[in-house]
Amino acid sequence: MSNIYPDNPIFSFLSSTLENRPAPEETVKSIDWKKLMAFAAKQAVVGIAFEGVKLCRQQYPEYVGKQDLMRGLMATEKIMKRNQILNQRCVELQKILSDAGMRSSILKGQGLAKYYSEELRFMRGTGDIDVYVDCGRENAIAFAKKLGQKDVHWDYKHLHLHIWDNTLIELHYRPEIVLNPFKNARLQRWFDQNREMLFDDDGKMVTPSLTMNLFYLLLHMYSHFFGSGIGLKQLIDYYFVLRSANGQFGCF
C-alpha cells in the first residue's frame, strides 16, 4: 500500500504500518499520539496502530516517548490474549459442529488472520465468531436446542448460538444475503454452485478459500455500506486478502 495520504498524518502512519515500516519522519513529527490512539480505538485497529508506534519508537525515539508506548501496551496485551482465546474457540466450535455431523466454515474474523503479516496477525481487532454451517435453517435451530438453548433467535440468514458466556456466536445457514429478492435468489444459487469454496481446511481451522473471500468480503462490505457503514478494520481485512491474492484474478 503506497502512501496515498501525504496530508493526513494518521492515514499516512497506518499505511506505513501495514507494510511493516516506520512512517516518514515528517509524518511522525506531526502526529498527536493521543488522537491517533483515540481514532484507532474508534475504528477497532488499536493493535495495528500500536505496532506502528513501536516501529516509529525504534526509528525516531526523539518523537515517540515511553509514555506513548505505555498507553497502548495494556490494550494490545488484551487484544493478543483475546485473539488467542477466539482462535481456540473457533477450533473447539468446529469440533462440536463436526461431531454433530455438520460441516462448518469460519467467516470473516479469526478466519482472516492467516492473511495478515506475522507482525500484525495477533493484533487484529476481535469481535464475535461468525460460522457457516452446511445444514439449513431447521437443522441449525434443532442443533441450538439440542445444546440446551431455550430461546433461539433466528432470521433468514443466521441465529445466535450460546455456548460460552464471553463469546458471541452467529451461526449462518446462509453465508450472506442481499435485500432485493430476485438478486438474492441468484446469489443463493451462486453460493450453492460454489459451495466447496466455502470449505478450505488449512490444518488449523476451516475457512472460505482465498477466491471465495475475495468475493464474499466485498459483498459483506457492500451490505454494510448501506447499513451500519464500513469501518477501517474491514478495509484493512480486505487489503490483506487482496495482497494475498498477489495479482490473481486482476487483483493488485
Side-chain angles (χ1 to χ4, degrees), residues 208-247:
S209 68
L210 175 61
T211 306
M212 175 60 78
N213 269 323
L214 285 167
F215 168 77
Y216 169 72
L217 293 176
L218 194 61
L219 174 64
H220 183 70
M221 286 192 290
Y222 172 82
S223 299
H224 267 269
F225 181 79
F226 293 102
S228 56
I230 302 172
L232 186 57
K233 184 174 76 168
Q234 292 169 302
L235 294 176
I236 291 175
D237 281 345
Y238 202 59
Y239 161 72
F240 279 112
V241 171
L242 285 172
R243 195 170 77 167
S244 297
N246 195 27

Side-chain angles (χ1 to χ4, degrees), residues 76-230:
T76 52
E77 285 183 351
K78 290 180 180 178
I79 291 170
M80 290 181 67
K81 288 180 180 178
R82 185 62 181 164
N83 269 296
Q84 291 170 347
I85 290 171
L86 285 183
N87 285 345
Q88 184 59 35
R89 289 281 189 259
C90 286
V91 173
E92 293 172 2
L93 175 60
Q94 292 200 298
K95 176 69 165 55
I96 293 170
L97 291 167
S98 178
D99 289 346
M102 289 186 284
R103 194 163 57 151
S104 67
S105 178
I106 302 296
L107 304 174
K108 305 175 291 178
Q110 303 309 113
L112 300 178
K114 62 184 177 182
Y115 299 118
Y116 276 61
S117 63
E118 187 175 349
E119 297 80 12
L120 298 177
R121 192 159 295 162
F122 284 92
M123 290 297 179
R124 184 187 177 276
T126 60
D128 54 9
I129 295 177
D130 290 79
V131 58
Y132 171 71
V133 286
D134 190 12
C135 67
R137 184 182 65 201
E138 296 303 321
N139 287 332
I141 294 172
F143 170 73
K145 290 181 177 179
K146 187 176 180 180
L147 289 181
Q149 190 169 323
K150 295 180 180 180
D151 298 319
V152 181
H153 300 285
W154 59 272
D155 58 25
Y156 178 76
K157 182 171 72 170
H158 53 48
L159 60 80
H160 295 279
L161 186 66
H162 304 294
I163 297 179
W164 301 286
D165 291 338
N166 63 346
T167 305
L168 299 175
I169 302 170
E170 289 189 352
L171 196 71
H172 291 243
Y173 25 86
R174 292 183 174 88
E176 189 54 89
I177 63 172
V178 292
L179 296 181
N180 182 297
F182 302 103
K183 291 182 178 179
N184 185 61
R186 291 172 58 191
L187 176 65
Q188 301 312 315
R189 285 197 299 273
W190 187 89
F191 278 128
D192 286 340
Q193 293 165 0
N194 296 278
R195 186 182 304 275
E196 292 308 310
M197 287 198 296
L198 285 162
F199 303 98
D200 182 42
D201 190 346
D202 64 7
K204 296 179 181 179
M205 66 178 73
V206 179
T207 67
S209 68
L210 175 61
T211 306
M212 175 60 78
N213 269 323
L214 285 167
F215 168 77
Y216 169 72
L217 293 176
L218 194 61
L219 174 64
H220 183 70
M221 286 192 290
Y222 172 82
S223 299
H224 267 269
F225 181 79
F226 293 102
S228 56
I230 302 172

Side-chain angles (χ1 to χ4, degrees), residues 54-73:
K54 290 196 295 185
L55 287 170
C56 291
R57 168 70 176 175
Q58 295 170 2
Q59 186 74 19
Y60 314 110
E62 65 273 26
Y63 302 128
V64 187
K66 290 184 178 179
Q67 67 274 20
D68 298 313
L69 289 176
M70 294 305 296
R71 286 192 188 101
L73 185 59

